[in-house]
Amino acid sequence: MFITNGWYCAAFASEMGAPFARRILGQPVLLVRDASGAPHAMGDRCPHRFAPLHKGSVIDDRIECPYHGLQFGMDGRCVHNPHGDGRIPGAAKVPVYPVVERDGLIWIWMGHPEAADPSSLPDLHLIDRSSRPIVGGHIMMDVDYRLVLDNLTDLSHAAYIHAGTLSPSRAKRESTNEATSHSVAVHTVMRGVPTPSSQALYFDQPVGDYHSDIEWIAPGIVRQQLAMTACGEDADAGAVTRNVHLITPATATSTHYFWMHTRNRLMDDRSIDEQTVAIITNAFTTEDEPMMAACQDYMGGKAFFSLKPLYLATDFAGTRCRRIVEGLIAAENGEGGHADADAMTDEIA
Amino acid sequence: MFITNGWYCAAFASEMGAPFARRILGQPVLLVRDASGAPHAMGDRCPHRFAPLHKGSVIDDRIECPYHGLQFGMDGRCVHNPHGDGRIPGAAKVPVYPVVERDGLIWIWMGHPEAADPSSLPDLHLIDRSSRPIVGGHIMMDVDYRLVLDNLTDLSHAAYIHAGTLSPSRAKRESTNEATSHSVAVHTVMRGVPTPSSQALYFDQPVGDYHSDIEWIAPGIVRQQLAMTACGEDADAGAVTRNVHLITPATATSTHYFWMHTRNRLMDDRSIDEQTVAIITNAFTTEDEPMMAACQDYMGGKAFFSLKPLYLATDFAGTRCRRIVEGLIAAENGEGGHADADAMTDEIA
Amino acid sequence: MFITNGWYCAAFASEMGAPFARRILGQPVLLVRDASGAPHAMGDRCPHRFAPLHKGSVIDDRIECPYHGLQFGMDGRCVHNPHGDGRIPGAAKVPVYPVVERDGLIWIWMGHPEAADPSSLPDLHLIDRSSRPIVGGHIMMDVDYRLVLDNLTDLSHAAYIHAGTLSPSRAKRESTNEATSHSVAVHTVMRGVPTPSSQALYFDQPVGDYHSDIEWIAPGIVRQQLAMTACGEDADAGAVTRNVHLITPATATSTHYFWMHTRNRLMDDRSIDEQTVAIITNAFTTEDEPMMAACQDYMGGKAFFSLKPLYLATDFAGTRCRRIVEGLIAAENGEGGHADADAMTDEIA
């Protein structure tokens, strides 16, 4: 169902403070900062009568269960039983999940804790915004996370469902793909196209070249550079945005979608920040999410490949991405799955 | 679950034009007219990523998928792939369903296309209304279609749940039944009864004879003639309405109910048309549908006959109808089922 | 799932009159008084087409099915068939359930009727209110009844979720437990505690001793005496309330919660009655029920003991209660289960 051994975005750093709960890979997770400001992630379910711990009080960095008052340290261990002789049963603990705070985000590792290596977290390649507030958002999507990955790794949909918002016209796309055992990238150029409204906020020419570089890194990071340039220029010379899309499964049919946007033009213009939030939120919630939900409905609960989907040239990245996810899940389950890119080439050709 | 080899009403002809979707026998169906005005029915699910085609544009009688832009002709075949080298995979097609436009209705055949013979569509026996607009409606009922057939083939319920609206008082009913391998008919007379409010719109005597002739024809057509006459007169001499009720399963627990009403009195009076729509819609949606939904709830998901329902004299038609449906479904599934009326007589007696 | 051989509260006596339906132990039950005022409980599902009988009319102590007009006596037997020759099929009956009216309540026995002995109904130990109206209420809770029993048999939760409403501060509790094969009791004293707001209505000292005696009797009766006294006094000398909580499973995940409250102080003060209803309703619906529903959600449909809940000193009564329920259900199902208190002692220690 899910890859567990990997870093997922759990929250924006700015969300953290008092305890709150979020469902991640099907598990109820309590997120909280301790008095020193360090972030923590713990199981939200009290092992006594299964109450939601995040509804309790925090007393000296201990979470008090709201139902019967057991207190848990942020290392997950029960440290106080107010009842009877106060003895604490050995099983009185909740899981703790490794977390890392980086790039304004809280990253969580839901799998084997000993495998959680912060150095495996890739650089997000964002444009430095120094102390300016982040432009971003968190959207709950009522769809299987793999439909979201499909959506992001094949931007050919943009010309259809984002016509007039995020996407230039249906010009010829030139694309190349790259894949490793844990990632897939797609590089696309569309030449001499009208500037889409999202880029027109900070790129003042009506026509130019549109450069898109998008890369998925397992399990849930998508890095994206979009650039509008004068016709024929290199992407780096243009109005560049660097964005991330962080896809974290909540349940089998719902997904957290965190996104962040940075740009190299008019970086201090707060009104462009606000318009960007509005344009992206509108596109993701009124264009992408309803389409993915409709597809999920028409899939009728069946597994994707069992429905024998058509394979088009634009599906290289999405298909590879799904096969890598399948392989990593099978490997975690000891099923002899593999995520070897070469071995899969024939299968999807 | 469903008889597939049979004509079902899919829509009123007046609904047809731009693409829209309707669930029929569990399948998502796109209904559309081409530029020449001919109606078409196609699978609504794109074979690429399962998007709902009816949300796409129509370009020169081709449906463009709203997600990634594949275009499908109204024969179901993909005729344009805007991506890569434009090659169209052999599997790029959606099912098409035979349709017939007749009597102001669009009929669809969901089973084997080669078996779809328009001449098997029975005459609806409606009273000619020439160019006057149809009196009718389309109601979604959240109940198993067989509960709707039960309801229609045993009008003894009318004296109870339609008291004061569609039905005369609880007078003695004289009924006879007829059945074939594919149909069941019930002829009923109630003598010297108060005129129900639905007939009082165009029959001006307070008391008369009430004649009902109702006939179900598999899979989903119910023809009905109701007549109020002066006491002792023949039905044909009275105020006659000829109606059809067209029952099309949407899913296992929801049903399309199309109805049409014609009459031989005050045919040009639009205010009677409007009152008829109001009376019938009220009866079907506030009297019949809640009762059937309550029965379905109390059946708790169990099969009808497994609950050992009581068999009353009034249940001949409904029981025969259910057995014919069972037999036709079994025959389609090669289960050696039969719809032979005589063989079933003992079983239900 | 449920103990069936036992008296459950079905309704307040004051609710009875015209037919109404209530789901009890998963069954749809029609509750009605006959013309003489005697209460009756019958299956609400018509055996003909499964219509809800309570929506029908009552004609001379007969319930007429609202769909096709079969009439049932309050002994459950069909006594009139308005159709055909009027013959009544032998199977035309609905179950009847023994009922007893006592203490302003209607008690129902859903199991083997011959085992229904009214003398097995325990005295509720309420304080006599003579002709004054009852203080009480009926709340539907969307939780498994066993979570409600857990809640009631371990009042240690009160200091947490009812802080400021029903419960005194987190003072030291002195508790003793008693159990029989069919009951569990917990006696608790908290000395020198602030008077909770619910008791402050009729106990005028700011501090006192809080005495709680609560006893569950299988399957669904909880008797409770709460007393506030001056420090060091016996409970009987104080402001005493005697309450019952009557827990009747509706379905596997929903429960009827009937409660009644009596007190020995300011018994005639209607404004205290009203405030008591408000305080208790608020506590049960905004404090208890959401917490139990959250626990049920986090249990994810799993059986309670399969989740290996922690066992604390305060859990003796709740755990014993669950084991007695399990044993009685197993015994009814002939599974050789037992409800022997001694045999279970080791298991839960």
Side-chain angles (χ1 to χ4, degrees), chain B residues 1-6 8 145 180-183 216-220 320-340 344:
Chain B
M1 180 61 63
F2 309 119
I3 299 167
T4 64
N5 288 311
Y8 287 99
Y145 69 100
T180 73
S181 63
H182 288 72
S183 70
W216 166 74
I217 302 165
R320 178 63 58 100
C321 172
R322 279 186 175 269
R323 291 299 187 192
I324 291 173
V325 169
E326 282 186 351
L328 291 171
I329 291 172
E332 285 194 4
N333 295 335
E335 294 167 12
H338 57 78
D340 180 58
M344 286 186 294

Side-chain angles (χ1 to χ4, degrees), chain B residues 147 150-151 154 156-157 160-161 170 172 291-292 294-295 297-299 304 307-315 319, chain C residues 21 23 28 44-45 47-52 54-55 59 64-70 81-84 89 91-92:
Chain B
L147 291 174
D150 283 343
N151 178 272
D154 175 15
S156 74
H157 74 274
Y160 299 93
I161 68 178
R170 303 179 182 186
K172 180 74 180 164
M291 181 60 69
M292 292 186 280
C295 294
D297 178 46
Y298 273 4
M299 290 173 70
F304 180 76
L307 293 169
K308 302 189 186 308
L310 294 190
Y311 182 76
L312 306 180
T314 41
D315 294 320
T319 306
Chain C
R23 186 73 68 158
D44 191 44
R45 188 175 87 167
H48 174 225
R49 288 297 178 267
F50 318 118
H54 75 280
K55 292 186 192 258
I59 302 165
E64 182 183 78
C65 178
Y67 200 0
H68 300 94
L70 292 182
N81 169 7
H83 305 294

Side-chain angles (χ1 to χ4, degrees), chain C residues 125-132 242 262-264 267:
Chain C
H125 291 178
L126 293 170
I127 294 162
D128 178 36
R129 295 180 56 83
S130 302
S131 64
R132 287 182 294 274
R242 292 219 191 108
T262 58
R263 63 180 182 271
N264 69 348
M267 294 171 75

Side-chain angles (χ1 to χ4, degrees), chain B residues 24 42 84 112 292 299:
Chain B
I24 298 177
M42 311 159 53
H112 298 300
M292 292 186 280
M299 290 173 70

Side-chain angles (χ1 to χ4, degrees), chain B:
Chain B
M1 180 61 63
F2 309 119
I3 299 167
T4 64
N5 288 311
W7 291 105
Y8 287 99
C9 179
F12 286 108
S14 58
E15 294 181 274
M16 299 286 289
F20 68 103
R22 190 155 275 170
R23 186 74 66 158
I24 298 177
L25 308 196
Q27 301 302 312
V29 175
L30 179 156
L31 296 163
V32 66
R33 282 195 197 279
D34 65 26
S36 77
H40 298 271
M42 311 159 53
D44 190 44
R45 188 175 88 168
C46 181
H48 172 225
R49 287 297 178 270
F50 317 118
L53 293 176
H54 75 280
K55 293 186 191 256
S57 306
V58 180
I59 302 165
D60 294 338
D61 282 350
R62 301 189 303 268
I63 313 286
E64 181 182 78
C65 178
Y67 201 0
H68 300 94
L70 292 182
Q71 293 181 5
F72 296 85
M74 292 185 187
D75 62 355
R77 305 186 69 83
C78 181
V79 291
H80 179 62
N81 169 8
H83 304 295
D85 62 6
R87 198 165 50 88
I88 295 170
K93 57 191 171 194
V94 294
V96 288
Y97 304 105
V99 291
V100 172
E101 181 165 1
R102 188 179 297 172
D103 297 315
L105 299 166
I106 304 298
W107 297 90
I108 193 168
W109 184 281
M110 301 294 291
H112 298 300
E114 64 276 17
D117 175 8
S119 73
S120 68
L121 247 180
D123 189 282
L124 296 186
H125 291 177
L126 293 170
I127 294 162
D128 178 35
R129 294 181 57 83
S130 303
S131 63
R132 286 182 294 276
I134 196 174
V135 178
H138 171 220
I139 295 168
M140 279 304 304
M141 293 192 165
D142 281 336
V143 293
D144 184 311
Y145 69 100
R146 291 165 292 197
L147 291 174
V148 183
L149 296 179
D150 283 343
N151 178 272
L152 281 165
T153 51
D154 175 15
L155 294 185
S156 74
H157 74 274
Y160 299 93
I161 68 178
H162 303 311
T165 54
L166 305 186
S167 175
S169 67
R170 303 179 182 186
K172 180 74 180 164
R173 305 169 69 89
E174 302 160 23
S175 288
T176 57
N177 300 295
E178 292 171 77
T180 73
S181 63
H182 288 72
S183 70
V184 181
V186 186
H187 310 285
T188 302
V189 183
M190 302 171 76
R191 303 211 180 267
V193 293
T195 305
S197 59
S198 50
Q199 261 84 5
L201 298 173
Y202 39 80
F203 179 74
D204 59 7
Q205 300 178 36
V207 169
D209 291 349
Y210 180 91
H211 309 255
S212 164
D213 296 282
I214 195 157
E215 180 182 20
W216 166 74
I217 302 165
I221 296 173
V222 176
R223 297 191 294 216
Q224 179 184 34
Q225 174 172 299
L226 294 176
M228 280 299 299
T229 65
C231 294
E233 280 192 335
D234 280 351
D236 293 344
V240 174
T241 72
R242 294 219 189 106
N243 308 298
V244 285
H245 309 262
L246 306 168
I247 306 306
T248 304
T251 67
T253 56
S254 64
T255 299
H256 299 282
Y257 192 126
F258 302 91
W259 63 272
M260 293 167 77
H261 161 100
T262 58
R263 63 179 182 271
N264 70 347
R265 298 280 174 92
L266 302 174
M267 294 171 76
D268 292 323
D269 188 330
R270 291 293 190 87
S271 75
I272 293 179
D273 288 358
E274 288 169 14
Q275 291 174 79
T276 298
V277 170
I279 287 171
I280 291 180
T281 303
N282 176 65
F284 290 178
T285 61
T286 75
E287 296 172 347
D288 285 306
E289 206 266 358
M291 181 60 69
M292 292 186 280
C295 294
Q296 178 165 290
D297 178 46
Y298 273 4
M299 290 173 70
K302 301 277 175 48
F304 180 76
F305 288 114
S306 77
L307 293 169
K308 302 189 186 308
L310 294 190
Y311 182 76
L312 306 180
T314 41
D315 294 320
F316 173 85
T319 306
R320 178 63 58 100
C321 172
R322 279 186 175 269
R323 291 299 187 192
I324 291 173
V325 169
E326 282 186 351
L328 291 171
I329 291 172
E332 285 194 4
N333 295 335
E335 294 167 12
H338 57 78
D340 180 58
D342 295 329
M344 286 186 294
T345 303
D346 293 344
E347 180 180 13
I348 63 177

Side-chain angles (χ1 to χ4, degrees), chain C residues 65 90 231 270:
Chain C
C65 178
C231 293
R270 292 293 190 87

Side-chain angles (χ1 to χ4, degrees), chain A residues 61-137:
Chain A
D61 282 350
R62 302 189 303 268
I63 312 287
E64 182 183 77
C65 177
Y67 201 177
H68 299 94
L70 292 183
Q71 293 181 5
F72 295 85
M74 292 186 186
D75 62 355
R77 305 186 72 83
C78 181
V79 292
H80 179 62
N81 169 8
H83 305 295
D85 61 6
R87 198 164 51 87
I88 296 171
K93 54 192 173 195
V94 293
V96 288
Y97 304 105
V99 291
V100 172
E101 180 164 1
R102 188 179 296 173
D103 297 314
L105 299 165
I106 304 298
W107 297 90
I108 194 169
W109 184 279
M110 301 293 290
H112 298 300
E114 64 277 15
D117 175 6
S119 72
S120 68
L121 248 180
D123 190 282
L124 297 186
H125 291 177
L126 293 170
I127 293 163
D128 178 35
R129 295 181 56 82
S130 302
S131 63
R132 287 181 295 274
I134 197 173
V135 178

